[in-house]
Amino acid sequence: MVARFNSMKNPPLRRSFPGRNILRAGCYTLLFLTTLSVAQRSRITEDRELKEIDLTGWDCVDRLEGSAKTPDGLERNRLKNRTAADLPGARVDALDSTAFQRLVAAFDNQTKGKRRKDLTPALKAELDQREQQLVSLTGYLVLAYPGPPESTNCGSTDFHDWHLELFANPSDHPPQAGDPTPIICEISPRTQNALYRAGIRMQSLAAFIRAPDLSYEPTGHPARKIRITGHLLLDDDHNGSADVGPIIQSVGANKYHNPWRVSAWEIHPITKIEVLDSAVPALIPSAAPAGEPTVTPALPIPSPNESSSTPTPPVATLSQQYITLRRPVTIKISYGQTVLPRGIRLPVITRDTQTVTVDYLGKPQVIPLISTDPW
């Protein structure tokens, strides 16, 4: 018994095999990379459309500086998180892509590659003045996508900016090498609800939506001609040659185009979006259910350079039936899925006792009848 006890206290040493430690290290590395990959995927929103968001449940709503740590980061976030501008009576400079680049060219030439913290006092004073400007920019919305978690929004996945890439000309393909770079415009969580209630929908305006896996999903229609109004902002986080340039040089393995913007200047936050072309999107917002704000359609309006004789889109005849969703519905689209938000009005193709087939962006979609307003 004593001998057995002693052998338990001093068990024989295990032999160490060199391959054992290598295998163990490999397993740990694989587990770490798998965990990291899952974590990264979980930090990308699944949103493919604007929606009504409840800001009262967001712990960052009163932190206009977000989670930034540096003085220039704090300043930049305060500007990005401004409330929507009060447009009536305000001076708004109307620009196209060429005029926008001309407006910021002199400042860009003096500050290329620099951060706001590195500017001379004179240039910093000029920057402060410029970032109070309101501008409206006309162009074609080729690509839209939700932004990644960032310090502006305290790293939230659910409360994120929307990036709109506005081009001087329409395109039948996503941005690729050889294309000109766009001007970046951004919707913030603090301006999203007002735009949503005004009937703005990315699926109806953009030619392509970037999916969570960074692939491009066509929306089934050309890029719409729109006018975006909001504050000028220098996003000096992206003021280097890797981000800024006139022509896209390549598309990386991560599917981002490089460079991806014509200037570090952008419109951020966006206060207003107007549709300028005469096409009528298939997605037609209407009055929301009782207790919710009314959604006004974003109808096309003539641009300053267009004739006022532009024909008015035809009004649907009384024989056309519509349904209004009273709850969100997830549908499949060409390259994934999207959520039709509550309050959206859709034209009916057919119906039966359980479902209704509607027209969404020119394609039939089957909706459970229980998710619609009463017939």
Side-chain angles (χ1 to χ4, degrees), residues 232-263:
L232 270 182
L233 178 131
L234 179 69
D235 196 348
D236 50 302
D237 253 348
H238 304 290
N239 200 25
S241 58
D243 294 324
V244 175
I247 301 294
I248 297 172
Q249 300 296 330
S250 64
V251 177
N254 61 2
K255 303 179 184 177
Y256 285 111
H257 46 283
N258 306 299
W260 61 287
R261 54 197 301 157
V262 74
S263 171

Side-chain angles (χ1 to χ4, degrees), residues 65-137:
E65 296 171 341
S67 57
K69 304 299 182 183
T70 62
D72 56 325
L74 296 171
E75 177 182 292
R76 188 168 49 249
N77 284 350
R78 283 194 297 269
L79 294 166
K80 291 182 177 182
N81 285 325
R82 286 177 284 193
T83 56
D86 187 11
L87 295 181
R91 175 186 171 181
V92 180
D93 295 324
L95 309 167
D96 60 12
S97 180
T98 301
F100 183 95
Q101 294 177 58
R102 189 184 303 124
L103 176 69
V104 301
F107 191 88
D108 277 353
N109 289 336
Q110 297 178 78
T111 60
K112 190 173 298 183
K114 293 183 179 179
R115 298 291 190 93
R116 59 182 64 226
K117 65 182 178 62
D118 301 320
L119 302 183
T120 64
L123 283 173
K124 184 60 171 64
E126 181 181 347
L127 173 63
D128 293 341
Q129 184 176 10
R130 283 176 175 268
E131 288 185 319
Q132 300 307 312
Q133 284 184 262
L134 289 171
V135 299
S136 66
L137 174 65

